[in-house]
Amino acid sequence: MKYDIRYKPAFATIFLTLQPGEQIFAEAGAMASMSGKVAMDTGFFGGLIPGLLKAFLGGESLFLNEFTNKTQSPQEIVLTQSSMGDIVQTQLNGGSLCLQPGAYIAHTKGIKVDLQWAGFASWFSGEGLFKLKLSGNGMIFFGAYGGLSEKNVTDSFVVDSGHLVAYEPGIKLNVGLSGSMMGSLTSGEGFVNKLEGSGKIYLQSRSMGGLVKFLKPKL
Amino acid sequence: MSSAIAYKIEHSPAYASLKLNLKPEQSVTVEAGAMAAMDSCIDMKSKVKGGLGKGIGRMFGGESLFTSEFTAKGQSGYLYVSPGVPGDIKHYALDGSRSLMVQSSGFVAAAPGVMIDSKFQGFKGFFSGESLFLLKVTGEGDFWFSSFGAIIEIPVDGSYVVDTGYIVAFEDTLNYKVEVLNGLSFKNLKTSIFGGEGLVTHFSGSGKLWIQTRNVASFVRFIHPFRPVKSN
Amino acid sequence: MKLELLHQPDSAVAKVLLDPQEEILAEAGAMVAMSSSIDVSTTLRKGKGGGVLGGLKRMVAGESLFISVFRSGGSAAELYLSPTLMGDILPYTLSGTELVIQSTSYLASTPGVQIDLGFTGFKSLFSGESLFWLTANGSGLALLNAFGSVYEIDVDGEYVVDTGHIVAFERTLDYSISKANKSWAGAFFSGEGFVCHFKGKGKVFCQTHNPGSFGRMVGGKLPPR
């Protein structure tokens, strides 16, 4: 499978070439355009989950599309995300990565996708009740609203909720108010996430919360 | 006089993010809610710039004057600041010789020696989405402002016309006048579409002007049909 | 006329340098800044047949096209034009082939290009897209804008594009709209909605991002209207 992530970081888009017999799984709506000969099938994310829970997923639809090249020659497909922003490809070799809702775009066979309970604290801070955990062997593509930066956390680090995109399982999240209750409300910082542990994290340079806060007084 | 704050602007120009490297006990004032991430040695205090009276009720045009003051305690630390909309960030060093007029939602961060005053322009309410509040920035020190879209610097020498929604900042050595440019206005075409008032700012004199390549009012109009509808 | 495109592809802006007594047409509201010597007038472009577009009664943003005409005076002048959404600008030179343009992708054109509304090749199947299509004919330059970056596909055979991602296409192509999946359930759940199958030979210009998806994503988080 050949891939090329173009137009980084503003409008990162994945240009993929599927070899004969190859396939890729992508979130609903990710296909922008593709050669007329690619076959598309729809399936469900990790098991059957009642439709009502979809509302709590905050950005991750339950449905996955499977794109397969059933022909004898390479075929092209262009995948993108709903929000404008950066996309990162990473290879998992037995390890795992946790993704915030909305960040997931696509993965190859060999990767297992699981919905995990993220805890009420996570829900309070606007990050949803669930998070996605991807593990196994293969490629994954995830994106963000804004530019993506990678950072290695060694001890502790504070992140504003909404800017954390992905993190390795060795990182523990502690969601809380940034200062005293009053301080948080007036400062607008609201909820912050104090990360502890060591591992890689990915931050996005914009947040939906920030965009909404900017637009509200102008409506 | 405070020493300059070390900084780096990343992901410019689409999603510029300001990375500040604070020395021990060094402080910086940042727009409320703009902190994206920081080292845990950095302490945050909520402040109202310009005194309590001026802060309350100042919710016009996207710039509440609530700011946060971040200080590195005991050691140096990094602070990542992100504006709300996609766009760029520019640094300006105030040296006391002139003031900078900045569009109301453009404030990102300022060093302690910089003073920010909100200066009402008189045309509020004309546009849905773009009130014409300008911030007057004076003093000495580092200042950072942001835009919606990319920033183009225009050295004005003579006269120039800019649609008010695209103004980011300008030096106060320039004279400015807000007026309606008839040919741009389509109000008289009997439509009920938002906008189209044709308000422009006429600049004259000599000085630097920064314009942005996108406009919030148009974006608000675009988003409008996607908003949930109020149910009765 | 000289054209310079700045800040591609994130936040492209067109810097137009007009010779004396030159004219350019642009979507009303596209003007960012200009020399004070430029004269502007704005008119409402009507649909085919000269009568007022039926859609005018509804006045939903995007269903009618307000065009501003910018004319320089006795000396050269400059003009900056910007679209509404973040993204790139694509210049297309017309010389014979008709170009079908998605309405929100039209930014500007030179006077020799004839812009017409009322292309009825695609009926309104797009729930929530409120797209309509323009046709451009004649000769000259058309400036198109995209939400995201623009990529060009030289179709020679068969190509499929999600309808929210089409910027423009050459009329030499055959096109048909269908649901992405064979079954209706599949189409609903797949989130792909409607796709356009292009066949034959010709160029399709696609945008990397879908304004409808982004609009829904952000709009859904805003207070109700």
Side-chain angles (χ1 to χ4, degrees):
Chain A
M1 178 175 316
K2 275 205 299 279
Y3 72 90
D4 182 22
I5 302 179
R6 294 187 207 163
Y7 316 123
K8 280 168 76 82
F11 293 105
T13 303
I14 311 166
F15 284 76
L16 269 172
T17 308
L18 292 170
Q19 301 303 324
E22 265 188 329
Q23 75 198 157
I24 186 147
F25 298 88
E27 78 166 332
M31 186 273 286
S33 68
M34 62 184 191
S35 135
K37 304 199 177 75
V38 176
M40 185 173 115
D41 256 311
T42 303
F44 288 86
F45 248 131
L48 285 170
I49 297 173
L52 285 173
L53 274 186
K54 187 177 171 201
F56 290 111
L57 292 182
E60 211 61 67
S61 84
L62 288 168
F63 305 98
L64 266 187
N65 287 321
E66 186 182 320
F67 297 92
T68 317
N69 180 356
K70 295 187 177 157
T71 71
Q72 302 301 318
S73 46
Q75 300 294 339
E76 280 188 355
I77 174 169
V78 182
L79 297 175
T80 179
Q81 50 174 352
S82 300
S83 106
M84 38 185 293
D86 211 346
I87 292 180
V88 153
Q89 176 269 354
T90 187
Q91 188 82 21
L92 287 180
N93 295 312
S96 3
L97 194 66
C98 296
L99 294 181
Q100 294 292 45
Y104 167 78
I105 299 173
H107 71 274
T108 56
K109 222 163 131 154
I111 297 278
K112 200 162 79 89
V113 181
D114 258 315
L115 270 177
Q116 292 212 329
W117 176 253
F120 281 111
S122 166
W123 185 42
F124 247 156
S125 72
E127 276 163 28
L129 284 172
F130 294 92
K131 59 185 177 195
L132 278 178
K133 185 166 171 182
L134 279 76
S135 36
N137 287 292
M139 270 202 278
I140 62 174
F141 293 90
F142 60 93
Y145 167 46
L148 271 171
S149 318
E150 199 179 296
K151 189 172 159 72
N152 266 316
V153 176
T154 44
D155 194 7
S156 69
F157 193 63
V158 177
V159 179
D160 172 276
S161 305
H163 284 274
L164 182 64
V165 178
Y167 53 97
E168 290 185 330
I171 304 270
K172 190 158 111 67
L173 272 58
N174 294 301
V175 178
L177 290 173
S178 60
S180 66
M181 176 71 107
M182 194 56 199
S184 295
L185 290 175
T186 52
S187 79
E189 293 300 344
F191 292 97
V192 289
N193 219 328
K194 182 152 183 203
L195 306 175
E196 271 160 2
S198 58
K200 234 192 309 193
I201 65 169
Y202 290 87
L203 297 172
Q204 59 185 11
S205 62
R206 287 290 180 278
S207 76
M208 268 299 145
L211 179 61
V212 169
K213 186 168 94 75
F214 179 93
L215 290 173
K216 268 201 194 151
K218 298 186 189 293
L219 296 172
Chain B
M1 170 139 78
S2 55
S3 54
I5 299 177
Y7 72 94
K8 187 158 170 276
I9 296 178
E10 300 179 319
H11 303 294
S12 173
Y15 309 106
S17 175
L18 180 62
K19 182 171 160 180
L20 296 165
N21 187 358
L22 296 175
K23 297 203 272 278
E25 312 313 319
Q26 198 174 32
S27 291
V28 69
T29 304
V30 174
E31 195 215 346
M35 183 274 286
M38 63 185 191
D39 279 323
S40 21
C41 61
I42 299 191
D43 178 64
M44 183 191 91
K45 256 202 313 252
S46 194
K47 283 186 102 152
V48 174
K49 202 96 177 158
L52 207 62
K54 282 187 185 173
I56 304 234
R58 226 38 111 91
M59 295 301 195
F60 301 115
E63 199 64 35
S64 61
L65 281 179
F66 292 110
T67 55
S68 299
E69 190 180 81
F70 294 87
T71 312
K73 289 271 178 232
Q75 48 186 282
S76 50
Y78 283 103
L79 172 66
Y80 296 79
V81 183
S82 274
V85 287
D88 210 350
I89 293 177
K90 275 270 185 289
H91 169 260
Y92 188 86
L94 284 139
D95 59 4
S97 69
R98 60 192 71 186
S99 317
L100 197 64
M101 302 293 279
V102 180
Q103 167 242 112
S104 54
S105 32
F107 171 63
V108 177
V114 176
M115 259 100 45
I116 304 170
D117 251 310
S118 136
K119 193 175 145 89
F120 173 56
Q121 259 322 288
F123 281 95
K124 84 172 157 101
F126 262 55
F127 269 114
S128 70
E130 199 64 42
S131 63
L132 297 178
F133 277 92
L134 290 176
L135 298 175
K136 185 167 177 173
V137 184
T138 49
E140 280 180 52
D142 298 304
F143 184 76
W144 293 268
F145 57 88
S146 64
S147 62
F148 179 38
I151 294 180
I152 298 180
E153 187 176 303
I154 305 210
V156 179
D157 191 14
S159 83
Y160 209 69
V161 175
V162 185
D163 178 300
T164 41
Y166 293 92
I167 300 173
V168 179
F170 56 93
E171 292 178 328
D172 73 339
T173 50
L174 287 168
N175 293 313
Y176 60 97
K177 194 165 81 137
V178 180
E179 55 196 20
V180 174
L181 198 63
N182 270 317
L184 282 181
S185 153
F186 41 94
K187 273 185 94 161
N188 56 350
L189 292 174
K190 297 189 180 62
T191 77
S192 59
I193 294 189
F194 279 124
E197 286 80 8
L199 276 176
V200 295
T201 303
H202 208 123
F203 286 99
S204 52
S206 239
K208 278 197 239 173
L209 162 68
W210 289 270
I211 57 175
Q212 57 191 9
T213 59
R214 292 292 180 274
N215 145 0
V216 180
S218 301
F219 184 64
V220 168
R221 254 177 275 145
F222 161 76
I223 277 283
H224 189 83
F226 294 101
R227 290 169 63 185
V229 186
K230 239 189 256 221
S231 45
N232 296 3
Chain C
M1 181 180 309
K2 272 209 296 287
L3 175 70
E4 216 185 302
L5 292 174
L6 306 166
H7 293 291
Q8 292 180 284
D10 324 337
S11 195
V13 62
K15 183 172 169 181
V16 181
L17 290 146
L18 294 168
D19 293 323
Q21 311 291 0
E22 227 187 347
E23 218 174 67
I24 186 164
L25 283 72
E27 186 192 21
M31 190 276 289
V32 178
M34 62 184 194
S35 309
S36 28
S37 57
I38 294 185
D39 176 64
V40 195
S41 64
T42 299
T43 57
L44 174 62
R45 237 352 134 80
K46 301 170 183 158
K48 268 194 164 89
V52 169
L53 261 188
L56 269 186
K57 298 189 201 85
R58 285 177 54 200
M59 283 305 166
V60 172
E63 279 205 3
S64 50
L65 197 63
F66 289 104
I67 305 237
S68 292
V69 181
F70 296 89
R71 190 180 292 113
S72 59
S75 49
E78 74 180 27
L79 166 69
Y80 285 91
L81 296 171
S82 252
T84 297
L85 290 173
M86 300 289 287
D88 209 350
I89 293 177
L90 174 81
Y92 182 88
T93 307
L94 280 120
S95 52
T97 315
E98 186 176 77
L99 189 71
V100 179
I101 307 171
Q102 196 248 100
S103 60
T104 55
S105 294
Y106 170 78
L107 180 66
S109 53
T110 50
V113 176
Q114 209 188 319
I115 303 281
D116 269 307
L117 280 71
F119 171 73
T120 50
F122 295 155
K123 298 190 192 70
S124 330
L125 293 171
F126 318 128
S127 55
E129 295 287 0
S130 73
L131 301 174
F132 65 104
W133 303 80
L134 312 172
T135 51
N137 275 300
S139 63
L141 184 70
L143 288 179
L144 308 175
N145 57 253
F147 178 42
S149 290
V150 185
Y151 58 98
E152 184 182 307
I153 303 277
D154 244 308
V155 181
D156 188 7
E158 207 185 312
Y159 200 72
V160 175
V161 187
D162 177 288
T163 47
H165 288 268
I166 304 174
V167 172
F169 61 91
E170 293 177 335
R171 247 334 195 113
T172 51
L173 288 165
D174 281 324
Y175 51 89
S176 68
I177 304 236
S178 61
K179 343 173 222 50
N181 260 16
K182 302 167 216 66
S183 69
W184 273 106
F188 179 73
F189 293 129
S190 74
E192 291 303 343
F194 293 98
V195 292
C196 185
H197 283 261
F198 288 102
K199 282 204 194 69
K201 259 175 108 69
K203 292 199 206 190
V204 183
F205 297 96
C206 306
Q207 53 192 5
T208 58
H209 285 70
N210 181 336
S213 298
F214 185 62
R216 278 189 288 275
M217 184 178 171
V218 181
K221 299 196 191 324
L222 294 173
R225 54 186 162 107

